[in-house]
Amino acid sequence: MDRSHFSPETQMLGYGYEPALSEGSVKCPIFQTSTFVFHSAEEGKSFFEMAYGRPGHEGEVPGLIYSRINNPGMEILEERLKLWDGGEACAAFSSGMSAIATTLFTFLSPGDVLLYSNPVYGGTHKFINNILTQFGIEVIGFRAGQSKKEVEEILVQSGHAGKLKMIYVETPANPTNDLIDIALCSEIAKKYSDVEKNVLVAVDNTYMGPLWQHPLKHGADLVLYSATKYIGGHSDVIAGAAVGSGELISKIKKTRTFFGTMIDPHTSWLLLRSLETLKLRMEAAEMNAEKVADFLSAHPKVEKIYYLGYTGKNNPVQQDIYEKQYLSNGAMLSFDILGGEKQAFTFLNNLRHIKLAVSLGGTESLAEHPATMTHVDIPDEEKELYHINPKMIRLSIGVENYQDLIWDISQALEKVQAPLAKPAEFI
Ligand SMILES: *Cc1c(COP(=O)(O)O)cnc(C)c1O
C-alpha cells in the first residue's frame, strides 16, 4: 500500500515498522542488544563490506551488525523523524550537542571557516569557540538581525571569506526571538561555493521543533535538533538528530560510528512514543503561549515581550522573514519585567505551578532567567548587544490549561514590587 501521501502525524503511527518481523507486536519492541547474529559467515562478510563502503554491493540494504552502527529502533526513529522536515535521511544522536558536534566535525577541517549566528545555545557557543578552534578551524560570528550586507562585510573583513565552509544558524534566536533569513544564508553559501567546495547551511531548529519551521525548504542543507526539547517533549530524555540529504547524512553517520555518539535503544523507543503526540503537544503549547503573551502584554509590570507573534511590533524589519519562514508563533517567549534582577527573581521565586528550570519544549511550563542562567557565560557587552538583560525572564509554555498558567503568572507578578518611583516632591 502506498502511504506516501499520508501526513507526518499519521506516519508516526506505523511508518518504517513491520509488525510481522516482531511477533505481530503492534508497537516496535525495544531492541536492547549490542550485537546481531549473522546467518552465515558469508553474510557477515558482505555486511562488513557494505558498512565500509566496499564496491560490489550497490543497491543492497546493509544488514544489522552492531548497535553503534545501527539498531532497528534507531533506524525506525530516523525514518519517521525525517518526514516532518521533508528530508531524505536522518541520523539520531545521544544528545543535541552530540548531533551538533558530530555534524560540525564531519564537514569542517583545519583551515576552514565557520560563520555562525549569535546568540546560539550556550553549549554550541562553547563548542564552536573552545573546541573547533583547537583544530585550526576559524570561527566568525554575526548577530541575528543583521542584514545580508552586514553579514557579508563581517566575512570579507576577516580576510578569509574564500575559506568559508559552513554557515551555522539558530533562528529564532534564544531568548530574544530575533530572526535570521535562511534563504539569505543559502545565497551567501552559494556565492562562496565552487566546484571544489560546497558551502553548507546548517540550522539548529530546536526552538521551533520539527513542526513550525522547515529550514530545508528555505535552502538549508542540514537541520539539527536537540530532541531533548519538543521531539522528546516530556523533559525525560536527552537526545538529538540531524536531517538532510541522503548524501550528507550518510557522511554524518560515518563520523557518528567512530565517535560513538548514536542514540541508545531505550531512548529511541521513548522518542518513537513521543513522536506519536508531537503535533498534539506542540499545538496545545502554541495556543497556550498566545494566551499567555496576550495576558502579559496588558500587564503594567511587564515592559516588553519577545514573542514571535509580536515580530511586526518589535522588529518591523524582520516581518518579511516571519511571514515566509514561520508556520506558527511557537511556544517560547521572554519578557522584561519592570525593574531588574531583583524583580525578576521575586517573580521566579513565587511561581507555584510553573517550574524554575532551564530547558524547553516539554509538556510542563518552565521559567528561567537567561542573564544569570542559560546565557550567563556571554560577556556583558555582548549580552547588551543581544538584548539579554537582568530583567528578562524566559518562559517555555507547556500543555496545561492556559487559565491556570495565567493564574500562576498573575499571582507571581503581584508579589513583585515595582522599582521605587521618584519621590512625590520631585514630580
Ligand atoms: C538544548 C539545546 C541544545 C543542546 O541539546 P542537548 O540535547 O541538551 O545536548 C542545542 N541547541 C538548542 C537550541 C537547545 O535548546
Side-chain angles (χ1 to χ4, degrees):
M1 186 180 71
D2 177 27
R3 302 169 182 225
S4 56
H5 61 284
F6 282 179
S7 299
E9 62 268 31
T10 308
Q11 304 279 34
M12 293 309 113
L13 284 307
Y15 188 71
Y17 173 62
E18 177 50 62
L21 294 175
S22 297
E23 306 280 3
S25 171
V26 166
K27 289 301 181 198
C28 175
I30 307 178
F31 290 87
Q32 189 71 48
T33 184
S34 58
T35 190
F36 296 87
V37 177
F38 304 130
H39 288 117
S40 65
E42 288 76 11
E43 187 188 71
K45 178 184 173 187
S46 78
F47 286 0
F48 267 89
E49 283 175 351
M50 280 186 257
Y52 283 89
R54 298 272 167 87
H57 296 280
E58 291 71 21
E60 285 181 55
V61 181
L64 296 163
I65 298 176
Y66 185 67
S67 286
R68 177 154 47 72
I69 302 169
N70 214 340
N71 178 287
M74 176 160 86
E75 202 168 86
I76 293 165
L77 171 68
E78 291 169 343
E79 284 298 301
R80 292 189 190 171
L81 251 180
K82 73 181 190 193
L83 297 176
W84 298 94
D85 278 289
E88 281 172 16
C90 167
F93 289 89
S94 56
S95 69
M97 280 317 302
S98 67
I100 293 164
T102 306
T103 300
L104 294 183
F105 269 134
T106 301
F107 298 107
L108 294 171
S109 308
D112 287 343
V113 167
L114 171 73
L115 181 66
Y116 73 99
S117 68
N118 278 306
V120 278
Y121 180 72
T124 308
H125 193 268
K126 278 260 180 248
F127 177 76
I128 289 175
N129 286 281
N130 297 11
I131 310 285
L132 285 184
T133 49
Q134 286 182 34
F135 293 88
I137 293 155
E138 182 161 355
V139 303
I140 302 170
F142 68 96
R143 184 166 45 81
Q146 283 186 305
S147 68
K148 184 184 173 211
K149 189 161 162 271
E150 288 171 310
V151 174
E152 276 203 82
E153 262 167 27
I154 293 172
L155 184 62
V156 170
Q157 272 163 17
S158 75
H160 300 294
K163 293 182 178 166
L164 181 66
K165 189 67 208 299
M166 185 186 258
I167 304 175
Y168 181 99
V169 301
E170 215 175 284
T171 176
N174 165 11
T176 56
N177 279 327
D178 275 316
L179 305 180
I180 296 169
D181 192 328
I182 297 169
L184 284 188
C185 294
S186 164
E187 280 175 26
I188 298 176
K190 288 213 175 74
K191 182 170 166 184
Y192 290 92
S193 293
D194 54 37
V195 282
E196 275 169 23
K197 116 181 124 81
N198 187 19
V199 179
L200 300 175
V201 175
V203 178
D204 180 336
N205 200 30
T206 302
Y207 233 55
M208 286 282 109
L211 213 60
W212 298 327
Q213 172 173 258
H214 296 134
L216 299 178
K217 301 201 168 97
H218 300 280
D221 301 286
L222 290 164
V223 187
L224 298 163
Y225 289 106
S226 166
T228 310
K229 315 296 166 54
Y230 286 105
I231 293 171
H234 296 72
S235 305
D236 55 7
V237 294
I238 299 278
V243 180
S245 69
E247 188 194 338
L248 295 179
I249 295 298
S250 110
K251 287 184 180 162
I252 293 172
K253 282 184 177 171
K254 284 202 179 101
T255 318
R256 181 183 68 180
T257 291
F258 302 114
F259 278 174
T261 43
M262 70 293 153
I263 196 167
D264 70 275
H266 186 241
T267 308
S268 299
W269 182 84
L270 282 168
L271 289 189
L272 284 175
R273 167 179 269 223
S274 291
L275 282 179
E276 297 185 6
T277 56
L278 180 78
K279 187 160 184 263
L280 295 172
R281 285 184 280 111
M282 291 184 74
E283 286 181 349
E286 91 183 311
M287 285 197 301
N288 282 349
E290 189 176 343
K291 303 277 191 200
V292 169
D294 283 349
F295 169 79
L296 288 172
S297 66
H299 202 285
K301 289 182 189 165
V302 174
E303 237 179 54
K304 181 173 178 184
I305 303 165
Y306 305 80
Y307 173 56
L308 226 55
Y310 300 161
T311 301
K313 196 161 62 182
N314 288 344
N315 290 310
V317 293
Q318 296 181 6
Q319 179 67 14
D320 66 316
I321 312 177
Y322 167 76
E323 282 171 18
K324 69 176 176 183
Q325 217 165 271
Y326 295 90
L327 304 166
S328 158
N329 294 321
M332 290 300 299
L333 59 102
S334 304
F335 66 96
D336 288 345
I337 202 164
L338 197 63
E341 182 177 302
K342 182 164 172 276
Q343 284 75 14
F345 278 21
T346 306
F347 172 81
L348 290 168
N349 289 337
N350 280 286
L351 288 168
R352 305 242 194 108
H353 164 75
I354 300 174
K355 301 209 171 39
L356 171 50
V358 301
S359 197
L360 60 106
T363 40
E364 70 281 278
S365 297
L366 301 175
E368 66 113 3
H369 188 247
T372 59
M373 297 171 191
T374 45
H375 295 71
V376 65
D377 227 28
I378 298 176
D380 285 346
E381 62 280 8
E382 280 184 52
K383 271 196 197 120
E384 213 164 295
L385 212 56
Y386 312 148
H387 309 288
I388 300 168
N389 57 62
K391 54 189 168 177
M392 178 189 265
I393 288 152
R394 188 186 80 179
L395 297 174
S396 168
I397 300 296
V399 303
E400 301 92 336
N401 182 302
Y402 76 86
Q403 284 164 323
D404 296 333
L405 295 177
I406 289 174
W407 174 85
D408 196 21
I409 292 167
S410 171
Q411 65 81 27
L413 279 169
E414 259 168 50
K415 308 281 181 352
V416 176
Q417 280 197 314
L420 286 180
K422 275 185 190 164
E425 63 265 34
F426 290 108
I427 294 175

